[in-house]
Amino acid sequence: MLTIKNLTKSYGPQQILKGIDFQVNQGDVITLIGPSGSGKTTLLRTITTLEKGDGGTIDFAGVQGELAHLSKNDIRTIRQNVGFVFQNYNLFNNKTTLQNVTEGLVVAHKIPKAQAKTIALAALKKVGMADYVDHYPSQLSGGQAQRVGIARAIALKPQVIFFDEPTSALDPELVGEVLKVMRQLAEEGATMVVITHQMNFARNVANKVVFMADGQVVEAGSPTDIFDHPQVPRTQQFLAEILSNV
Amino acid sequence: MSLDTNFMAQVFKTAIAGVPVTLQIVLVALILSLPIGFIFALVRIYRVKILSPIIRLYVSFVRGTPLIAQILIIYSAFPSFLATIIGKSAFSIDPINYAYIVFTLNSIATLTEVFRSALQTVDKGQLEAGLMVGMAPRQTFVRVILPQALVSALPNITNATLYLIKNSSLAFIMSVKDITAIAKTQAAFSYNFLEAYLVVWVYYLIIAYAAELLFWFLERYFSRFQRTTTAKSFNWHLFSFKQPTTTVQAVQYDPKKELVNHAHN
């Protein structure tokens, strides 16, 4: 349902993505792992048009074209079909929990207010934040804010939800509540692409793990393939480092 | 030395005619310079070609020269400038118009910088979040970024307004009959300058204090979304050096609620 081919991206002289091929199928839960600076976040931001790609093609939601030359309409279509959960939540600070979720429904998707409220309340209930509808982001803990961030994304019924290190900014004891929600979404069949350093989540929830390093996909496969039988030395080295830290 | 209280009461009565003049200058300057300053700030932030450097130059000219020099230049240059284009004797124009021009031009420069820094304090992630729920950049700007920028701009707008109120006293140079001018004229009859100036002092104090109060209410209204952690109350004591007291309204944290939530998951 989403196909990226030969994606390249540079910041100045430094090439961040060196020709990435990436495919997401309906119902996939893909985790992206890799050392920092490997281009994981840039990949997500380029696919979702937050950054402009230098080269490569996208095929998603009826849009087929060069990432560097997408029309305004194409960009709009892509944005309206993806959900994005940010590392530092990025909830709208001047809106309540409920408004954070209804905002996109009403303003961008032109859903009538009453109906948007029903959808939003259902989404908030799913993430366990239904009791906080009138709270502003400044009144929420990190874990609560991130769950609202997830509710905001799923309320739009996107084809794919992208998670950019959703638990990295959280206190350790709050990580669990967010992962729980994400696991529940995965079980319900949502299509998700998750950058994470939570290897347990990558191993137990994902059906596909992609290991990136230095702007390239080094190895991709099922969690068992990657975690138990990594083929490439770079993957083996990364996993050894990560797992020895525990 | 004794103060002539009768004279002070008399000046107090006559100078009240200057209050509307002072307020007029302040209001006209504010109403004109707020939207223009905001647009100029946008031009600077989006680095609009040609216009952006011109505005930067303008701002540094205004900020880098004393107000009194600006007043003298406008007041002496404008009439002859007008005379050459409309040919009419420009000296028949009410001098308060020159005051409007000077103080508006001056406030525009200040407010351009106020809005520019306020817009820059809003995190880039707010725009990205708006784009990712499908909103257009302009929709996100109006609905999310602007309300937040306004809140961070308000304290500085208050400052700019207070400066404007006080600076407007310089309008007497352009023979505008504001509070200061009236008091000065009165004092000149009997050489009771100190008494007259004390009255002026009180008038500005009252006006500035009222403005401060008004802006405090505005600030409180627009920062509703930040208020729950700290609520500032207005410092009513005129001469206190104390910072406004900060009372912490505890965010109701109900551990039971939290448990219920986990059960939901």
Side-chain angles (χ1 to χ4, degrees), chain A residues 45 48 91 93 103 128 139, chain B residues 126 128 132 143 225 228 261:
Chain A
R45 292 174 60 86
T48 52
L91 295 185
N93 291 325
E103 194 70 6
Q139 298 168 273
Chain B
Q126 296 285 310
E128 292 181 346
M132 283 296 102
R143 304 180 63 92
F225 63 88
T228 39
N261 269 315

Side-chain angles (χ1 to χ4, degrees), chain A residues 28-82:
Chain A
D28 267 353
V29 177
I30 300 175
T31 51
L32 272 172
I33 58 171
S36 54
S38 58
K40 307 183 297 288
T41 295
T42 309
L43 174 62
L44 247 58
R45 292 174 60 86
T46 315
I47 296 173
T48 52
T49 72
L50 284 176
E51 305 275 348
K52 197 170 181 180
D54 297 337
T57 57
I58 185 169
D59 181 356
F60 173 62
V63 175
Q64 289 174 324
E66 298 263 329
L67 273 162
H69 306 106
L70 290 173
S71 72
K72 267 192 177 161
N73 250 337
D74 290 343
I75 289 178
R76 207 179 162 79
T77 311
I78 293 172
R79 284 178 183 168
Q80 297 210 336
N81 284 288
V82 298

Side-chain angles (χ1 to χ4, degrees), chain A:
Chain A
M1 97 204 266
L2 169 73
T3 310
I4 298 287
K5 284 213 172 95
N6 201 24
L7 170 57
T8 55
K9 167 83 185 164
S10 303
Y11 289 119
Q14 200 183 359
Q15 195 168 22
I16 306 291
L17 300 176
K18 301 168 181 167
I20 303 259
D21 293 334
F22 191 70
Q23 174 143 15
V24 184
N25 298 318
Q26 176 84 42
D28 267 353
V29 177
I30 300 175
T31 51
L32 272 172
I33 58 171
S36 54
S38 58
K40 307 183 297 288
T41 295
T42 309
L43 174 62
L44 247 58
R45 292 174 60 86
T46 315
I47 296 173
T48 52
T49 72
L50 284 176
E51 305 275 348
K52 197 170 181 180
D54 297 337
T57 57
I58 185 169
D59 181 356
F60 173 62
V63 175
Q64 289 174 324
E66 298 263 329
L67 273 162
H69 306 106
L70 290 173
S71 72
K72 267 192 177 161
N73 250 337
D74 290 343
I75 289 178
R76 207 179 162 79
T77 311
I78 293 172
R79 284 178 183 168
Q80 297 210 336
N81 284 288
V82 298
F84 203 101
V85 176
F86 295 87
Q87 183 174 354
N88 46 6
Y89 340 126
N90 287 342
L91 295 185
F92 303 130
N93 291 325
N94 58 329
K95 307 268 178 199
T96 62
T97 296
L98 183 65
Q99 288 167 340
N100 258 282
V101 185
T102 53
E103 194 70 6
L105 293 166
V106 175
V107 179
H109 292 252
K110 311 271 180 251
I111 294 170
K113 266 189 190 157
Q115 200 186 334
K117 193 176 169 186
T118 318
I119 298 172
L121 285 175
L124 285 169
K125 193 168 179 200
K126 189 173 271 184
V127 300
M129 289 298 292
D131 292 335
Y132 294 84
V133 283
D134 291 326
H135 284 58
Y136 284 101
S138 59
Q139 298 168 273
L140 302 176
S141 74
Q144 293 172 333
Q146 192 58 293
R147 284 187 280 151
V148 175
I150 294 173
R152 179 171 69 177
I154 60 174
L156 300 160
K157 306 243 167 7
Q159 295 192 34
V160 190
I161 310 173
F162 294 90
F163 295 79
D164 182 8
E165 302 200 26
T167 58
S168 300
L170 297 175
D171 288 342
E173 78 262 31
L174 302 177
V175 169
E177 60 187 82
V178 172
L179 289 181
K180 213 172 194 176
V181 169
M182 289 168 62
R183 184 187 292 248
Q184 183 194 341
L185 287 180
E187 280 161 8
E188 287 171 8
T191 310
M192 299 157 64
V193 178
V194 185
I195 298 178
T196 187
H197 294 296
Q198 303 289 331
M199 290 303 148
N200 276 333
F201 182 86
R203 184 196 279 265
N204 298 329
V205 182
N207 67 334
K208 195 173 158 193
V209 178
V210 175
F211 173 67
M212 278 180 75
D214 306 318
Q216 281 166 324
V217 173
V218 176
E219 201 170 346
S222 72
T224 341
D225 290 344
I226 300 292
F227 288 107
D228 299 335
H229 316 288
Q231 302 297 314
V232 186
R234 186 74 185 83
T235 319
Q236 291 163 356
Q237 183 200 340
F238 174 77
L239 288 173
E241 265 168 40
I242 285 261
L243 298 174
S244 70
N245 280 342
V246 178

Side-chain angles (χ1 to χ4, degrees), chain B residues 12 15 18-19 21-23 25-26 103 161-172 176-183 196-212 238:
Chain B
F12 211 89
V19 174
V21 178
T22 297
L23 290 181
I25 294 173
V26 172
F103 291 111
T161 309
L162 293 179
Y163 273 111
L164 184 58
I165 291 169
K166 291 178 286 180
N167 286 341
S168 75
S169 63
L170 287 171
F172 78 87
V176 172
K177 301 248 177 303
D178 73 333
I179 302 169
T180 319
I182 293 172
Y197 291 155
L198 281 175
V199 171
V200 169
W201 196 77
V202 170
Y203 266 119
Y204 281 105
L205 199 59
I206 293 170
I207 296 173
Y209 193 62
E212 235 177 292
L238 257 184

